[in-house]
Amino acid sequence: MSDAASNKKLIEQIFAAAGNPDPAVRDRALFAASLADDAIWTVTGQYSWSRTFTGKQSIMNDLHGHVRTRLAERTRTIAHRFIADVEHVAVEAKGNNVTQGGVRYDNDYCLVFRLEGGKIKEIREYCDSVLTEKALGEFPVSKIPAAI
């Protein structure tokens, strides 16, 4: 299997497991296991969430950890298109979420993954920044990762 095909298959499996409609079966373990320790996640744009989270711990704790505190239940993002080249997989996806305050948070995403040796090394997130801040609020300054 080519790198493009194997990378695409891995990302498809990650989204299938994490986006399972049954919350009892929904699982993010494959995502966590596939994330390189030195991975980076860049939230693009020019709003309070825009920044680069450096390292697996920062991605899982600072970014995903904060999102989990804002939502009423575990997040669910459903992918509907995967496009791959040798080291990148682009994913179009739609959120299916509710905040703790009862506000729908169904953002549209384009996520571009860069993989190396079967591990996710980089993620670039493109989404509706206005909806993010309207539903989830501004990203708290106290959770901004320290500069290296």
Side-chain angles (χ1 to χ4, degrees), residues 43-47 50-51 125:
V43 179
T44 64
Q46 296 179 19
Y47 67 118
S50 300
R51 65 188 25 83
E125 174 184 323

Side-chain angles (χ1 to χ4, degrees), residues 43-51 53 66 129 132-134 136-141 144-145:
V43 179
T44 64
Q46 296 179 19
Y47 67 118
S48 67
W49 290 72
S50 300
R51 65 188 25 83
F53 297 86
H66 179 64
S129 57
T132 299
E133 285 191 333
K134 184 177 178 183
L136 302 181
E138 291 189 7
F139 195 86
V141 173
I144 296 173

Side-chain angles (χ1 to χ4, degrees), residues 11 63 65 71 73 79 81 86 98-99 115 121 126 135 137 146-147:
I11 299 300
L63 176 58
L71 298 176
E73 55 189 63
R81 181 171 294 130
V86 175
V98 179
T99 68
L115 293 95
K121 295 289 282 185
Y126 302 86

Side-chain angles (χ1 to χ4, degrees), residues 98-148:
V98 179
T99 68
Q100 290 185 4
V103 175
R104 291 294 316 171
Y105 179 58
D106 300 331
N107 215 330
D108 291 298
Y109 298 95
C110 179
L111 299 158
V112 181
F113 295 82
R114 184 176 65 80
L115 293 95
E116 190 177 292
K119 291 286 191 178
I120 299 167
K121 295 289 282 185
E122 181 180 359
I123 303 164
R124 291 188 58 82
E125 174 184 323
Y126 302 86
C127 69
D128 181 344
S129 57
V130 173
L131 176 61
T132 299
E133 285 191 333
K134 184 177 178 183
L136 302 181
E138 291 189 7
F139 195 86
V141 173
S142 64
K143 294 193 183 259
I144 296 173
I148 296 175

